[in-house]
Amino acid sequence: MLRARVAPIGLALCLTSAFALVAAKAPTQVHAATAQPGDKAAGEGAWVPPGTKGSPIDGTIFHAQVLLDAAGFPTGVIDGKKGMVFEQALRGYQQARGLRVSGDLDGATRQALLQDTRPSTRTFRLSADDVGGPFLYPFPKKPEEQAKAPGLYYRNMLEKLAERFHTTPDTIVALNGPDKMIGVGQELRLPNVLPRSREYGKTIDDKQAGLLNLYQVDAQQPQGDFIVVDKSEGVLKVFQGPVPEGAYSTEKNRGAPPTLGDNPGKLVAQFPVTMGSTHDPLPLGKWKVPTYAFMPPFHYQPNLFWDAKDKGAPDQTLPPGPNGPVGVAWLDLTKEHYGIHGTAEPQTIGRAESHGCIRMSNWDVTRLSRIMKPGFTAIFQA
């Protein structure tokens, strides 16, 4: 029997306890003493402010991540840590800006990024948009239990807030300390990813408009003409210009900007993605993306998943929600069963495998839906 509860809005709890407590059972406030032993958010040892010795956040890296995100070259979750995804974002940004493509945060790259004068963090007074429910906790694990839920919502306020600000629950705790309260009217220090404009004008539908606002997508985005996903790179690149006829090469002139036949186009954005696996490889070829669906339900067919433990079980229709198998958006490919979609686990983007589809963070796939118009071309190659 499904025992998960849908929680209301309107309470405040401590950052550490947000991982463990069901909002529906809390009165008005819960203190950090109620945090469960071993909660990852509680961290190890005493908390120290970011920018001081012992903090898991490198301030320089954190600021660069915020600026790269604003520039259209996000690094996945903003957490103040180096890694492969951060280097990939730097390489894309350097290519687009005509800088030396190194993947290093060198002086020239920092100078270019700092032309955007936004600080890395701001203190925000939380609103219902930031932390309002409904929530679903405990979250059902089995598809047949998920199918009975009213929606595959966020588990709690902290999980929602982390995605709204393109970061992780751990990072919010590292920025503020485990005793800081979260809830409507509370103040927290968060990554400064606020858009300069929310004047979205015409959108595909009301669901897209709501998601653009939820995930802080700036209304002013470059318009792309085609995308390229190369298995060897692990990123999705957005280009302006005619769709190329030639092959996309990354082997030629390794370390320099890649070429797309005789008409390379202009690189205007890049996103980290997870693509395919040994069992479900990236579907190589040139495809169209004719339709988008926002907050879609998911038709779970266990016989289509090589790693499903319930093969032979009945198909299930899972309700929509950010913690569903395809997240908040599905951009449909002309190859059956394949699409570009969101995820319930943004921290795994670029670090895990998929079932052949292109998986992005919920905030990045929402942004991509603003950059690309339905009907665009997607080029997938190794």
Side-chain angles (χ1 to χ4, degrees), residues 100-119:
R100 184 175 68 90
V101 180
S102 64
D104 296 325
L105 186 59
D106 52 36
T109 304
R110 287 195 66 190
Q111 185 176 8
L113 285 169
L114 290 170
Q115 290 180 19
D116 183 341
T117 58
R118 72 171 64 208

Side-chain angles (χ1 to χ4, degrees), residues 226-229 285-289 333 340 376-380:
F226 63 95
I227 66 168
V228 172
V229 177
K286 186 179 291 186
W287 312 98
K288 290 288 186 180
V289 184
L333 285 163
I340 303 170
F376 71 85
T377 297
I379 301 171
F380 296 162

Side-chain angles (χ1 to χ4, degrees), residues 231 275-284 306 335 338 354-358 380:
K231 187 177 178 180
M275 63 190 85
S277 67
T278 302
H279 295 274
D280 298 296
L282 180 72
L284 304 182
W306 65 267
K335 182 172 178 60
Y338 286 82
S354 75
H355 288 96
C357 293
I358 305 300
F380 296 162

Side-chain angles (χ1 to χ4, degrees), residues 360-381:
M360 309 174 71
S361 69
N362 283 328
W363 57 88
D364 281 347
V365 73
T366 299
R367 185 174 186 174
L368 183 66
S369 77
R370 179 73 175 181
I371 293 173
M372 308 300 298
K373 294 180 179 179
F376 71 85
T377 297
I379 301 171
F380 296 162
Q381 58 187 50

Side-chain angles (χ1 to χ4, degrees), residues 137-165:
Y137 186 88
F139 196 87
K141 294 181 179 180
K142 296 180 179 179
E144 59 267 28
E145 294 177 343
Q146 294 177 1
K148 299 174 186 176
L152 298 182
Y153 308 126
Y154 289 119
R155 293 167 177 83
N156 53 37
M157 292 185 286
L158 184 56
E159 186 180 35
K160 178 182 179 180
L161 187 67
E163 290 217 357
R164 183 160 165 76
F165 283 85

Side-chain angles (χ1 to χ4, degrees), residues 77-376:
V77 294
I78 297 171
D79 58 5
K81 298 176 183 177
K82 287 184 178 180
M84 179 180 66
V85 179
F86 178 64
E87 293 177 5
Q88 289 170 332
L90 285 172
R91 294 178 71 89
Y93 179 82
Q94 290 163 340
Q95 176 188 337
R97 297 299 188 274
L99 302 168
R100 184 175 68 90
V101 180
S102 64
D104 296 325
L105 186 59
D106 52 36
T109 304
R110 287 195 66 190
Q111 185 176 8
L113 285 169
L114 290 170
Q115 290 180 19
D116 183 341
T117 58
R118 72 171 64 208
S120 61
T121 63
R122 284 182 54 184
T123 298
F124 296 92
R125 184 178 295 276
L126 303 181
S127 68
D129 285 341
D130 296 318
V131 294
F135 302 109
L136 187 65
Y137 186 88
F139 196 87
K141 294 181 179 180
K142 296 180 179 179
E144 59 267 28
E145 294 177 343
Q146 294 177 1
K148 299 174 186 176
L152 298 182
Y153 308 126
Y154 289 119
R155 293 167 177 83
N156 53 37
M157 292 185 286
L158 184 56
E159 186 180 35
K160 178 182 179 180
L161 187 67
E163 290 217 357
R164 183 160 165 76
F165 283 85
H166 309 180
T167 188
T168 66
D170 282 342
T171 303
I172 295 177
V173 174
L175 286 171
N176 295 276
D179 292 331
K180 195 73 174 178
M181 304 298 290
I182 179 174
V184 175
Q186 300 294 325
E187 291 188 349
L188 287 179
R189 183 181 180 187
L190 297 165
N192 187 17
V193 295
L194 283 192
R196 291 188 168 88
S197 171
R198 297 184 191 268
E199 298 296 326
Y200 299 117
K202 184 179 179 180
T203 55
I204 294 173
D205 57 29
D206 290 342
K207 290 181 180 179
Q208 185 198 28
L211 292 171
L212 291 169
N213 182 69
L214 173 65
Y215 293 119
Q216 319 280 14
V217 177
D218 198 301
Q220 304 303 316
Q221 296 291 332
Q223 291 301 297
D225 296 306
F226 63 95
I227 66 168
V228 172
V229 177
D230 192 294
K231 187 177 178 180
S232 67
E233 292 184 309
V235 295
L236 182 156
K237 292 188 172 184
V238 178
F239 289 90
Q240 289 177 343
V243 177
E245 297 297 330
Y248 179 77
S249 172
T250 57
E251 295 301 325
K252 183 179 180 181
N253 299 325
R254 175 65 72 179
T259 59
L260 290 119
D262 297 326
N263 199 341
K266 178 184 178 182
L267 177 64
V268 295
Q270 175 184 292
F271 300 94
V273 295
T274 292
M275 63 190 85
S277 67
T278 302
H279 295 274
D280 298 296
L282 180 72
L284 304 182
K286 186 179 291 186
W287 312 98
K288 290 288 186 180
V289 184
T291 58
Y292 301 171
F294 301 101
M295 298 301 286
F298 181 72
H299 184 197
Y300 175 66
Q301 299 170 273
N303 289 334
L304 293 181
F305 293 87
W306 65 267
D307 56 348
K309 297 180 180 178
D310 54 350
K311 286 186 181 294
D315 292 359
Q316 300 286 346
T317 299
L318 307 187
N323 273 322
V326 296
V328 301
W330 173 272
L331 280 55
D332 196 42
L333 285 163
T334 47
K335 182 172 178 60
E336 189 178 12
H337 302 308
Y338 286 82
I340 303 170
H341 62 82
T343 183
E345 299 180 344
Q347 73 281 359
T348 67
I349 296 299
R351 300 178 176 90
E353 294 183 332
S354 75
H355 288 96
C357 293
I358 305 300
R359 192 168 70 225
M360 309 174 71
S361 69
N362 283 328
W363 57 88
D364 281 347
V365 73
T366 299
R367 185 174 186 174
L368 183 66
S369 77
R370 179 73 175 181
I371 293 173
M372 308 300 298
K373 294 180 179 179
F376 71 85

